[in-house]
Amino acid sequence: MERPLSPFMFPIWYRFQITSALSILHRLTGIGLAVGSILLAWWLISVAAGGELFEATHRFLVSPIGMVLLFLWSVAFFYHLCNGIRHLAWDAGYGFEIRSATRSGYAVLAITALLTVLAWLYVFLHRRPR
């Protein structure tokens, strides 16, 4: 048996590590935030333009597809924020031990879920009736 040549042989040669998955997820959420920012910019343009353009954009955003996109964007936002804070701690030299890195990874996931739920609870509890 020869040694593996690449860490991309993940399922065969390497054990799953939460830190690896969170690193990949951090990059993916960064891409998602960039793409979602295009939608945010479009919404701002439609607000400035007003009228029919704003109505069409608003109808899309409150549709089921729009709500799913907004939800996913908020999850990406909170995850990227929490994991970014974790990276700042690493930059300061804290949390490099394996146990600490694993615990902080799970904490990032838990805090992401909590912040997302709180944000969406706020949205649904403070909606104006039509």
Side-chain angles (χ1 to χ4, degrees), residues 20-31 79-80 83 109:
S20 300
L22 295 180
S23 175
I24 294 166
L25 188 58
H26 188 77
R27 293 163 197 240
L28 291 174
T29 56
I31 294 167
Y79 173 78
H80 208 76
N83 205 44
L109 293 175

Side-chain angles (χ1 to χ4, degrees), residues 76-119:
F77 173 78
F78 287 124
Y79 173 78
H80 208 76
L81 173 71
C82 293
N83 205 44
I85 293 170
R86 179 175 175 234
H87 277 267
L88 285 175
W90 285 353
D91 289 344
Y94 300 104
F96 282 120
E97 299 80 27
I98 292 173
R99 186 173 181 181
S100 178
T102 301
R103 282 185 174 179
S104 66
Y106 285 116
V108 162
L109 293 175
I111 295 168
T112 297
L114 177 67
L115 290 174
T116 303
V117 167
L118 289 175

Side-chain angles (χ1 to χ4, degrees), residues 30-112:
I31 294 167
L33 287 173
V35 171
S37 295
I38 295 169
L39 181 61
L40 176 63
W42 179 258
W43 178 78
L44 289 172
I45 291 167
S46 74
V47 168
E52 193 175 307
L53 180 62
F54 175 73
E55 276 298 317
T57 304
H58 181 73
R59 274 194 309 275
F60 172 73
L61 288 176
V62 297
S63 73
I65 292 172
M67 294 297 276
V68 167
L69 289 175
L70 288 172
F71 177 77
L72 292 175
W73 194 78
S74 66
V75 171
F77 173 78
F78 287 124
Y79 173 78
H80 208 76
L81 173 71
C82 293
N83 205 44
I85 293 170
R86 179 175 175 234
H87 277 267
L88 285 175
W90 285 353
D91 289 344
Y94 300 104
F96 282 120
E97 299 80 27
I98 292 173
R99 186 173 181 181
S100 178
T102 301
R103 282 185 174 179
S104 66
Y106 285 116
V108 162
L109 293 175
I111 295 168
T112 297

